[in-house]
Amino acid sequence: MGWSKPAHPEDQRLCGGRKRSATGKLVCITGGLLCALRNSEVCSPQTLVTFARLRHSVRRAVMRASESGGKDSAPRWLPSLETLTSTQGDANRFEVLPCFPLPLPRAALPGAKRSLNVWEPRYLEMFDDLMCAGRRHFAVPRLAATEDGTRLAETAAVFKLVDVREAEGNTRRGLVCEFDVGMQPVRLRQVLNPEAFADKSTYLRVECEDLHDLDRDVDYSLEERCLLFAFGEVASLRSRVGDPLRRYERGVGAHGGPWIVDHGDLVSITEDSVGMADPSRTGLWRVAGLWQSYCERRLVAMRQQRERDSLEVKSSTGASELLLAREADAALLMEDTAVLMHKILQANSHGLRLQLLQRAAEDEAARLAAALAVLTAVGGKPPA
């Protein structure tokens, strides 16, 4: 499926994007200005700090407005585990699955492959129980430590164990496990033994049900084409602005020694990757994964730029504030990406998933367009 803009005038209007609020426009514009000015030769650290503060203030305001905007506008969580009590559940009506909650900085999307190194006794017990019972599936909800306590996302991916082997070279037992992420997310109805998470006596068990789309008979072919066009706009703008990611990065290994990280395999949004994308019901999860990889690539580039900044501006007035602003900007991107993937996973509508990705792509295109305009006017290096 190509990503060229639909030819019909009405289709073009629909693909032209939603109307943003004045605050939403300011987020995109300040983001582009910050990225461009940050790499411009004519901008002082004090100016960058001012723009960074403005962007973060506006972005927080948008997030607060979004969180109070309705049932589909914010990620949904179960009540904190500390407030729940044990229950028997109803195994005759709903499926009961073992539960392995994870912070998941990179969301586990349906159709993906994941691996885990397992050392904690309760999860070693979980895998032993699964294999003894001839079962291979368990729920993996996103885990968050909040002011209200430890919370699990209401929607979870279902992992299928495809390979397991004993970890080698360690004095304690461990497992190296490979998984396929199932195509059908589940909604957690309740946690049957919530106290087990805190005392670590055993693994959690959850009562759950399959999450089915409510719009299975709706044709979204136009919206799917519009999403590809929005991704294509990002690819086009990104190629004009430039890609600041450096393939090799020096890091620190597990034992404290130097380590060279190769980012050559990080996926980006390009004309080729968009041209091969399939935003249909069966293919949309790969498109969401493409967006998540693109954001991860941006985060790596931001980290690399911060390291360069720390060497170039260490003696400048406001240098520490500039570096903190850089870290805050990266943290916001990480948070925004995690929230977006959470909302996509919990959506019980193909149309809503398309809409969420469309919004993200339009906002990124606006940010890149603002950055490109500034770079054209004042010159500079590509922004992250």
Side-chain angles (χ1 to χ4, degrees):
M1 181 183 293
W3 59 268
S4 58
K5 194 167 187 175
H8 192 279
E10 179 63 14
D11 289 357
Q12 290 183 12
R13 183 187 68 79
L14 291 173
C15 286
R18 73 195 191 285
K19 291 184 177 179
R20 293 185 185 85
S21 66
T23 309
K25 291 178 182 177
L26 188 57
V27 169
C28 298
I29 292 171
T30 54
L33 287 173
L34 180 60
C35 287
L37 292 174
R38 182 182 287 136
N39 296 283
S40 171
E41 304 268 340
V42 299
C43 192
S44 68
Q46 291 86 347
T47 303
L48 292 177
V49 170
T50 300
F51 266 97
R53 286 174 175 168
L54 172 62
R55 173 165 167 75
H56 298 155
S57 297
V58 174
R59 187 68 189 89
R60 289 294 182 187
V62 171
M63 291 182 68
R64 286 195 296 270
S66 173
E67 288 171 358
S68 61
K71 66 177 183 177
D72 289 322
S73 61
R76 294 193 291 273
W77 302 87
L78 296 180
S80 63
L81 293 175
E82 292 81 358
T83 65
L84 301 177
T85 56
S86 296
T87 180
Q88 293 296 320
D90 188 348
N92 294 323
R93 293 182 59 199
F94 303 104
E95 186 175 14
V96 175
L97 288 177
C99 180
F100 194 156
L102 292 168
L104 293 177
R106 179 179 176 83
L109 298 174
K113 296 184 180 295
R114 301 298 288 262
S115 60
L116 288 173
N117 296 325
V118 181
W119 307 98
E120 197 170 342
R122 56 178 164 177
Y123 296 120
L124 294 173
E125 175 194 1
M126 185 187 85
F127 286 113
D128 288 342
D129 289 349
L130 280 171
M131 288 182 284
C132 286
R135 303 179 65 189
R136 290 183 173 270
H137 296 85
F138 59 98
V140 182
R142 182 182 172 201
L143 172 70
T146 70
E147 295 179 354
D148 300 324
T150 305
R151 306 187 73 177
L152 306 183
E154 184 184 277
T155 306
V158 176
F159 279 32
K160 177 185 177 181
L161 182 64
V162 295
D163 184 61
V164 58
R165 61 185 186 276
E166 295 286 337
E168 300 177 356
N170 292 280
T171 56
R172 57 175 179 154
R173 185 191 176 206
L175 296 176
V176 180
C177 306
E178 304 291 334
F179 310 96
D180 288 338
V181 183
M183 295 301 293
Q184 186 68 63
V186 295
R187 184 173 73 86
L188 305 188
R189 293 180 53 83
Q190 56 183 337
V191 182
L192 302 184
N193 56 337
E195 73 288 340
F197 187 79
D199 63 31
K200 301 183 179 182
S201 56
T202 187
Y203 53 90
L204 294 177
R205 293 180 299 116
V206 293
E207 183 182 85
C208 53
E209 59 185 350
D210 288 344
L211 187 67
H212 296 292
D213 284 355
L214 301 178
D215 57 356
R216 282 173 284 182
D217 297 328
V218 180
D219 179 11
Y220 287 109
S221 56
L222 173 59
E223 288 79 359
E224 291 166 0
R225 293 199 302 273
C226 289
L227 177 60
L228 286 186
F229 174 73
F231 271 47
E233 288 284 273
V234 171
S236 176
L237 286 164
R238 193 64 173 177
S239 66
R240 293 165 64 191
V241 169
D243 190 348
L245 181 71
R246 295 185 178 182
R247 176 168 180 176
Y248 297 104
E249 181 179 15
R250 186 171 61 185
V252 178
H255 301 290
W259 185 265
I260 300 299
V261 182
D262 184 356
H263 298 298
D265 293 332
L266 279 180
V267 179
S268 186
I269 292 180
T270 63
E271 292 188 8
D272 289 340
S273 64
V274 175
M276 293 186 293
D278 172 19
S280 65
R281 290 181 186 275
T282 55
L284 186 67
W285 294 115
R286 285 186 176 273
V287 177
L290 175 61
W291 185 260
Q292 183 170 231
S293 295
Y294 171 76
C295 294
E296 181 180 10
R297 188 182 182 95
R298 279 190 62 203
L299 281 168
V300 172
M302 289 171 125
R303 185 175 70 240
Q304 292 176 343
Q305 184 60 50
R306 186 201 176 281
E307 292 172 356
R308 293 193 290 272
D309 287 347
S310 65
L311 298 174
E312 294 173 3
V313 302
K314 62 173 61 176
S315 60
S316 303
T317 304
S320 60
E321 288 190 76
L322 175 59
L323 296 179
L324 288 174
R326 172 72 80 175
E327 291 175 1
D329 218 28
L332 275 177
L333 175 59
M334 185 181 299
E335 182 180 4
D336 285 351
T337 305
V339 168
L340 174 64
M341 294 301 134
H342 189 147
K343 288 156 68 170
I344 289 173
L345 192 66
Q346 76 185 14
N348 59 353
S349 160
H350 179 56
L352 179 56
R353 289 189 286 272
L354 288 168
Q355 183 184 74
L356 289 166
L357 283 169
Q358 177 91 17
R359 289 175 181 173
E362 288 174 0
D363 286 345
E364 174 64 0
R367 185 190 72 86
L368 289 171
L372 183 61
V374 174
L375 286 170
T376 302
V378 303
K381 294 174 287 187

